[in-house]
Amino acid sequence: MLTIRMPFQAKLPAEITQQIISWIHPSEVLALRLTSRAFNAAIMTRYFATMNLRRFVLSDMETSNKSPSEFDELFFRWPEVYRLAYAEVGLKKLAELDWGEDDIFLGTPIPLEVGRLVNLVKLNLNDCGLSGAIPLEITSLVKLQVLSLYENELEGTIPVDIGRLNNLQELYLGRNKLSGIIPGEGIGQLTKLTILNLGPNHLSGNIPPQIGSLINLTELYLANNFLTGSIPEEILRLPNLLDMFLHCNQLTGQIPKEIGRLMKARCLYLEDNQLSGEIPFEITTLRYLEDCDLRNNAGLTCSFEFPLIQY
């Protein structure tokens, strides 16, 4: 008589099967997906993923994570149910996720589940080899004060909803491949910003005048993009601006005389644009100025001498 041997998991209640295999390390358990459809069905649920991770993830994790663990690395590669579970079990308590310059996530996108880490005050994924777009879900992290996605391979546009991050003080999106316009309406709502770094990228269009509402800004870096149009007078009225980097764009028109209102300015870099007209004498009133580079703007002229100006 022919005997058909059924896999053991078909003879046990699903709950018991899940309890047993939940003791297998998460880095290995997902290989069981290929064993059978029954195993796959048991493993690929939020319930099982949470139970499995709780076996291995410490419940008293620190609120600051400055060195990614094995699980942190897997978070960027796991299937959705595991990412959701790990965001809840392993990352949700974090106030600081500071993994910059580890270069261990090469070629992977930012998981959408990052948006569930609602207690984050600092998110630093600088130089981690990240690809894809900036997920809209990041704009749910309304407690963020520092967001650094600097020096990756990110593409697409800057989310318009970035204005929801109204506690943000430092924003670093430079050294990526971001394109499209700078979303002025969103950026203009980040009134606590002290540092805005959006270059180098592939950004185009005009410099939004809404940046002029960022009265706490000390550093503005928009250099090495494809920005066009004139320099908006609004950004030359920023009362706390120290350093302004607008070089290596395609800016045109005259330098507004309002540049003399940047009373705290130390460094002004406007070189390698298409600016024209007379350099405003008001620049000479900037008492803290250390460097003013206006070179490679063929249309500029100057009728006075000022040793700090290069043109």
Side-chain angles (χ1 to χ4, degrees):
M1 182 175 117
L2 178 64
T3 301
I4 300 177
R5 297 185 180 276
M6 300 294 292
F8 80 91
Q9 72 270 20
K11 300 178 182 179
L12 295 175
E15 294 80 3
I16 296 177
T17 300
Q18 289 178 321
Q19 288 283 343
I20 293 171
I21 60 179
S22 70
W23 289 100
I24 302 174
H25 194 278
S27 64
E28 301 172 358
V29 73
L30 289 172
L32 296 175
R33 295 170 62 189
L34 303 178
T35 304
S36 70
R37 290 182 179 179
F39 261 123
N40 188 63
I43 292 169
M44 298 307 294
T45 66
R46 177 82 175 274
Y47 167 78
F48 174 80
T50 301
M51 177 170 57
N52 185 214
L53 287 167
R54 288 192 187 281
R55 307 285 196 203
F56 297 91
V57 177
L58 296 177
S59 60
D60 57 345
M61 297 184 71
E62 300 289 335
T63 58
S64 179
N65 184 333
K66 295 188 177 182
S67 181
S69 68
E70 174 190 10
F71 293 122
D72 295 335
E73 295 183 38
L74 290 171
F75 175 61
F76 279 70
R77 298 183 173 90
W78 268 331
E80 180 181 359
V81 291
Y82 264 79
R83 294 197 306 267
L84 286 167
Y86 188 63
E88 183 70 28
V89 173
L91 299 175
K92 193 170 184 179
K93 293 181 181 179
L94 287 179
E96 292 189 6
L97 196 158
D98 193 358
W99 298 345
E101 300 180 2
D102 283 289
D103 203 22
I104 56 173
F105 307 131
L106 187 61
T108 63
I110 301 172
L112 305 185
E113 291 73 19
V114 164
R116 293 177 172 264
L117 312 184
V118 294
N119 291 308
L120 282 182
V121 174
K122 180 178 182 180
L123 176 58
N124 177 15
L125 297 175
N126 173 28
D127 193 18
C128 287
L130 298 170
S131 60
I134 299 173
L136 182 61
E137 285 76 4
I138 277 185
T139 65
S140 299
L141 306 179
V142 295
K143 293 183 180 180
L144 274 184
Q145 296 176 14
V146 178
L147 174 58
S148 179
L149 303 177
Y150 190 79
E151 199 166 359
N152 283 289
E153 298 291 328
L154 298 173
E155 299 177 321
T157 59
I158 300 172
V160 175
D161 288 346
I162 200 165
R164 296 174 61 190
L165 304 178
N166 54 14
N167 286 303
L168 209 58
Q169 297 174 20
E170 300 177 20
L171 177 60
Y172 305 91
L173 300 180
R175 292 196 178 278
N176 281 288
K177 299 177 181 178
L178 299 173
S179 58
I181 65 170
I182 299 173
E185 185 174 346
I187 293 291
Q189 296 177 47
L190 305 178
T191 55
K192 295 182 180 179
L193 272 187
T194 60
I195 298 175
L196 176 59
N197 186 313
L198 303 182
N201 272 299
H202 300 159
L203 298 172
S204 58
N206 295 341
I207 297 174
Q210 293 92 333
I211 291 177
S213 64
L214 308 182
I215 60 173
N216 294 300
L217 206 63
T218 61
E219 180 179 315
L220 175 61
Y221 195 105
L222 304 180
N224 294 283
N225 280 293
F226 299 97
L227 300 174
T228 56
S230 59
I231 299 172
E233 296 178 4
E234 289 83 352
I235 72 170
L236 302 179
R237 297 171 184 155
L238 291 168
N240 294 298
L241 196 66
L242 302 176
D243 303 313
M244 183 170 68
F245 303 86
L246 303 181
H247 56 280
C248 298
N249 279 292
Q250 299 170 13
L251 300 174
T252 56
Q254 295 185 328
I255 300 174
K257 64 181 181 180
E258 281 78 10
I259 200 166
R261 299 181 64 172
L262 296 176
M263 298 305 299
K264 295 184 179 181
R266 298 178 307 192
C267 300
L268 302 174
Y269 297 108
L270 307 178
E271 72 269 22
D272 294 296
N273 279 289
Q274 300 169 24
L275 300 171
S276 59
E278 175 72 9
I279 297 172
F281 182 77
E282 285 78 4
I283 287 182
T284 64
T285 66
L286 302 179
R287 58 185 299 187
Y288 299 108
L289 193 63
E290 299 173 4
D291 194 9
C292 180
D293 196 337
L294 307 178
R295 290 176 297 178
N296 298 324
N297 286 284
L300 284 179
T301 60
C302 187
S303 60
F304 57 89
E305 292 186 5
F306 191 55
L308 295 178
I309 294 179
Q310 302 177 66
Y311 86 101

